[in-house]
């Protein structure tokens, strides 16, 4: 965050130099910022283990009642109002602690920045109250003297100024904007804080406004709060403009606080694919959306996407953020760096060190988080995030990524639990090569995709949806498919082997390359060595899930090639194929067979007709998809009695003319 105007007296000390519980009191507000509780009552009728059926509202009401009773201990005088509103949804830790988020208000108007949290045990007993509160006089004005339009004019002029952005990659110039045309009010809600929205004018999006109280130090001021987004969200300004008319000129109000919320200059040195395919180079944290092979959809994503990867704490950042918490598995600590006075910093550990492994796994997991989010694996569909900014889904479930300094059981793995419970990824050193899986996108992308498919197949709250043999095999195939195609999108030569760098073997970790000649088909499932037809196939086996998963990946790779050819556009072909596969996951029921998942992809393609695809394009793409499935024995006449490896019969027939998928 970069402060550009700050007229608050941040040196103001309500204790005038007296020592008062160092570390527990915010001397600017004069209140405790942590109140540890002993002997607080539980919720009447709740057992010590609480209960899963207790409504959030019960915990919220109990938390608010406790804060009201403890207002004096927190710092409120007897005649000072201590009013709070609560977030309607709880956060629950993995240990079962309930967390109620509060916002201090007066006259129905937010006291900015005063947002404590109440920690409650399962039975409702309050453990502590953490976060800032402030004393506010009961007689503060609640109605603005300065019209919102006057305050907006002053703030917009500041937000429109030319500015130099200092980044780790050099300086960028942000040009000035012409805001002389003004802004029209487009919405208004008749509530105490008078929320309203103005047209975007020269900015990136519409300008929201509302009243807030701002603690200046010795006094509290009523302000208009505006948010201005510059082009492509390279800067997003918060402007607090006086609303109480202290300057005596309502047409020229004073800006009291103005800052940029965007962190411009945090980057990291990473291998974007692996040490054989990419250099150890700087990358933005987060990456701009233009660095992805996908495109940002017009709807469905939070404002300002891609969202921050990092949490800024006391002048530092670490490999712990909203999407991913990456740590050294040996000491469970992230890699942390300080920020300079401009808020800039670079993760730049030496190669092949624990810190470098942690940084690389953090980068890879965040990359895949944003990649899949653009394809529809969003908060409401159970993605991995600590806090869901849209309020949809459950949150509290980032990817916990452990970079092991040495080998790890299974070499690499990903455990996925239901929405609201963190996923766990482990990456380690490959015995025999000394290469670390945290440095290989093939491996991390494959494992991350397991989390996506486990969450999407079968339903939002069921991360245990791929258990039957064919289902498990497809999980492996989906992982290889996304690991390879995310690279191939922008490369002239298609890569068809996976894991070759990490095992130091040109053929990679699978039986055969995923090229157009890949020999296995649906009808080969269940066959052992010597049973797969064709010269040179005596060594092939399709009796284990990773091997059978190769058939599914080879099919999806062929589907993507054929869709690219049908559209005569490689980039569109990849994007259409990815979208159909992800949409297909959402349509796929628990424990599917290959044929069930095939039908879901075909149905997802049909949904793109008339939108992403013209009717003529859809006809060509549908034919291409069926040709790919038929090529690998999943034609219209293929048969599978269930999702096991028993009784699979391949077929190469195309669907009858006029049939729907």
């Amino acid at each position: 965050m970069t402060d550009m105007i700050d007229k608050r007296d941040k040196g103001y000390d309500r204790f005038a130099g007296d020592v008062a519980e160092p570390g527990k009191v915010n001397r600017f507000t004069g209140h405790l910022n942590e109140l540890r509780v002993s002997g607080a009552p539980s919720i009447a009728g709740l057992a010590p283990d609480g209960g899963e059926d207790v409504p959030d509202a019960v915990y919220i009401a109990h938390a608010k009642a406790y804060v009201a009773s403890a207002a004096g201990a927190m710092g409120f005088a007897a005649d000072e109002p201590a009013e709070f509103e609560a977030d309607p949804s709880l956060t629950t830790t993995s240990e079962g602690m309930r967390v109620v988020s509060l916002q201090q208000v007066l006259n129905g108007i937010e006291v900015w920045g005063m947002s404590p949290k109440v920690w409650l045990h399962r039975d409702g007993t309050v453990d502590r109250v953490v976060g800032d509160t402030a004393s506010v006089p009961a007689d503060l004005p609640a109605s603005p003297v300065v019209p919102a339009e006057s305050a907006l004019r002053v703030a917009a002029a500041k937000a429109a100024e030319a500015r130099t952005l200092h980044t780790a990659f050099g300086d960028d110039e942000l040009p000035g904007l012409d805001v002389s045309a003004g802004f029209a009010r487009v919405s208004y809600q008749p509530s105490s804080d008078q929320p309203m929205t103005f047209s975007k004018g020269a900015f990136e999006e519409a300008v929201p406004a509302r009243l807030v109280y701002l603690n200046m130090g010795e006094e509290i001021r009523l302000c208009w709060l505006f948010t201005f987004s510059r082009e492509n969200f390279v800067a997003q300004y918060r402007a607090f403009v006086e609303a109480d008319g202290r300057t005596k000129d309502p047409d020229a109000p004073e800006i009291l606080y103005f800052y940029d919320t965007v962190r411009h200059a945090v980057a990291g040195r990473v291998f974007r694919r692996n040490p054989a395919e990419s250099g150890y180079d700087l990358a933005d944290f987060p990456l701009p959306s233009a660095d992805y092979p996908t495109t940002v959809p017009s709807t469905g994503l939070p404002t300002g996407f891609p969202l921050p990867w990092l949490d800024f704490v006391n002048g530092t950042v670490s490999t712990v953020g909203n999407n991913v918490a990456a740590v050294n598995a040996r000491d469970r600590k992230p890699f942390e760096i300080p920020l300079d006075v401009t808020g800039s910093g670079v993760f730049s550990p030496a190669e092949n060190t624990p810190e470098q492994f942690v940084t690389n796994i953090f980068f890879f997991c965040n990359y895949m988080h944003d990649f899949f989010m653009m394809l529809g694996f969003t908060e409401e569909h159970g993605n991995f995030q600590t806090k869901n900014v849209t309020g949809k889904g459950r949150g509290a479930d980032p990817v916990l990524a452990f970079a092991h300094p040495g080998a790890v059981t299974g070499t690499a793995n990903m455990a996925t639990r239901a929405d609201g419970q963190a996923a766990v990824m482990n990456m380690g050193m490959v015995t025999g090569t000394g290469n670390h899986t945290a440095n290989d996108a093939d491996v991390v992308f494959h494992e991350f995709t397991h989390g996506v498919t486990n969450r999407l197949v079968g339903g939002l709250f069921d991360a245990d949806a791929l258990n039957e043999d064919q289902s498990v095999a497809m999980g492996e195939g989906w992982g290889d498919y996304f690991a390879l195609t995310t690279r191939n999108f922008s490369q002239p030569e298609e890569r068809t082997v996976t894991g070759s760098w990490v095992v130091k073997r040109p053929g990679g970790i699978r039986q055969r390359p995923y090229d157009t000649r890949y020999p296995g088909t649906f009808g080969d499932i269940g066959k052992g060595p010597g049973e797969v037809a064709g010269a040179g196939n005596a060594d092939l086996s399709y009796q284990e899930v990773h091997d059978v998963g190769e058939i599914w990946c080879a099919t999806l790779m062929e589907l993507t090639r054929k869709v690219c050819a049908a559209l005569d556009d490689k980039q569109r072909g990849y994007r259409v194929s990815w979208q159909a596969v992800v949409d297909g996951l959402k349509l796929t029921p628990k424990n599917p067979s290959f044929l069930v998942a095939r039908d879901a992809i075909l149905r997802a393609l049909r949904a793109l007709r008339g939108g992403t695809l013209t009717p003529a394009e859809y006809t060509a793409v549908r034919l291409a998809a069926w040709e790919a499935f038929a090529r690998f024995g999943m034609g219209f006449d293929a048969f599978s009695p269930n999702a096991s490896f028993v009784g699979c019969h391949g077929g190469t027939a195309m669907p009858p003319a006029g049939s729907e998928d």
Side-chain angles (χ1 to χ4, degrees), residues 3-4 86 123 155 182 192 216 259 287 367 371 376 384 391 449 479 497 503-504 529 549 577 621 634 640:
D3 293 342
M4 302 170 70
D123 64 355
S192 299
M216 301 295 293
Y259 65 89
L287 284 175
Y367 179 98
F371 170 82
F384 305 109
T449 302
V497 299
V503 298
K504 292 185 179 179
S577 299
V621 165
M634 286 171 266
S640 179

Side-chain angles (χ1 to χ4, degrees), residues 376-521:
F377 185 48
T378 56
E379 295 172 359
E380 64 183 305
H381 294 104
N383 73 350
F384 305 109
Q385 292 182 181
T386 301
K387 181 179 180 180
N388 289 358
V389 297
T390 64
K392 299 176 181 179
R394 292 196 173 187
D397 58 354
V399 172
L400 304 180
F402 294 103
H404 295 257
V408 59
T409 302
T411 307
N413 52 68
M414 173 88 159
T416 312
R417 297 178 289 177
D419 190 26
Q421 300 179 65
V424 178
M425 177 183 287
N426 291 284
M427 292 288 148
M429 200 77 71
V430 175
T431 303
T433 70
N435 288 342
H436 203 288
T437 54
N439 283 344
D440 195 345
D442 283 1
V443 182
V444 180
F445 287 8
H446 174 103
E447 296 299 335
F448 192 99
T449 302
H450 276 306
V452 178
T453 55
N454 284 330
R455 281 276 174 94
L456 288 182
V457 173
L460 181 61
F461 301 120
D462 189 350
D464 191 30
L466 297 170
N467 294 307
E468 297 293 347
D469 289 339
Q470 288 187 46
S471 309
V472 177
M474 281 191 292
E476 301 300 333
W478 279 310
D480 280 2
Y481 169 71
F482 281 108
L484 288 170
T485 53
T486 50
R487 172 205 181 278
N488 291 339
F489 175 87
S490 57
Q491 299 297 318
E493 294 184 5
E494 183 185 46
R495 186 162 179 257
T496 58
V497 299
T498 183
S500 55
W501 172 79
V502 78
V503 298
K504 292 185 179 179
R505 193 163 58 240
I509 58 176
R510 304 303 182 212
Q511 297 183 99
R512 297 287 175 85
Y514 292 123
D515 56 25
T516 57
R517 298 169 296 174
Y518 185 85
T521 68

Side-chain angles (χ1 to χ4, degrees), residues 499-553:
S500 55
W501 172 79
V502 78
V503 298
K504 292 185 179 179
R505 193 163 58 240
I509 58 176
R510 304 303 182 212
Q511 297 183 99
R512 297 287 175 85
Y514 292 123
D515 56 25
T516 57
R517 298 169 296 174
Y518 185 85
T521 68
F522 183 71
D524 293 320
I525 292 177
K527 293 181 179 179
E531 297 180 296
V532 179
N537 294 334
D539 60 333
L540 289 178
S541 175
Y542 294 107
Q543 296 177 313
E544 188 271 334
V545 292
H546 289 84
D547 296 337
V548 175
E550 293 178 21
I551 298 171
W552 186 243
C553 178

Side-chain angles (χ1 to χ4, degrees), residues 99-110:
V99 182
V100 175
S101 299
L102 300 177
Q103 172 60 60
Q104 187 177 350
V105 297
L106 178 69
N107 305 316
I109 299 171
E110 173 187 335

Side-chain angles (χ1 to χ4, degrees), residues 281-303:
D281 300 320
L282 279 176
D284 283 320
F285 285 17
L287 284 175
S289 57
D291 279 16
Y292 290 88
T294 41
T295 56
V296 180
S298 58
T299 60
L301 292 182
T303 299

Side-chain angles (χ1 to χ4, degrees), residues 295-439:
T295 56
V296 180
S298 58
T299 60
L301 292 182
T303 299
F305 179 86
L307 301 176
W309 288 1
L310 301 161
D311 293 332
F312 291 68
V313 181
N314 297 325
T316 66
V317 290
S318 73
T319 53
V320 172
N322 195 47
N323 313 325
V324 182
V327 301
N328 182 336
R330 181 164 293 166
D331 58 15
R332 295 297 197 266
K333 291 182 179 180
F335 180 35
E336 182 178 277
I337 62 169
L339 300 174
D340 62 23
V341 294
T342 69
S344 300
V346 176
F347 293 92
S348 188
E351 293 182 44
N352 292 316
T353 62
E355 293 79 14
Q356 188 261 307
F357 301 147
V358 167
T359 303
N360 231 85
I361 198 175
F362 180 79
F363 170 79
F364 281 152
C365 288
N366 274 291
Y367 179 98
M368 291 304 275
H369 170 276
D370 289 355
F371 170 82
F372 277 115
M373 204 167 180
M374 284 186 269
L375 290 171
F377 185 48
T378 56
E379 295 172 359
E380 64 183 305
H381 294 104
N383 73 350
F384 305 109
Q385 292 182 181
T386 301
K387 181 179 180 180
N388 289 358
V389 297
T390 64
K392 299 176 181 179
R394 292 196 173 187
D397 58 354
V399 172
L400 304 180
F402 294 103
H404 295 257
V408 59
T409 302
T411 307
N413 52 68
M414 173 88 159
T416 312
R417 297 178 289 177
D419 190 26
Q421 300 179 65
V424 178
M425 177 183 287
N426 291 284
M427 292 288 148
M429 200 77 71
V430 175
T431 303
T433 70
N435 288 342
H436 203 288
T437 54
N439 283 344

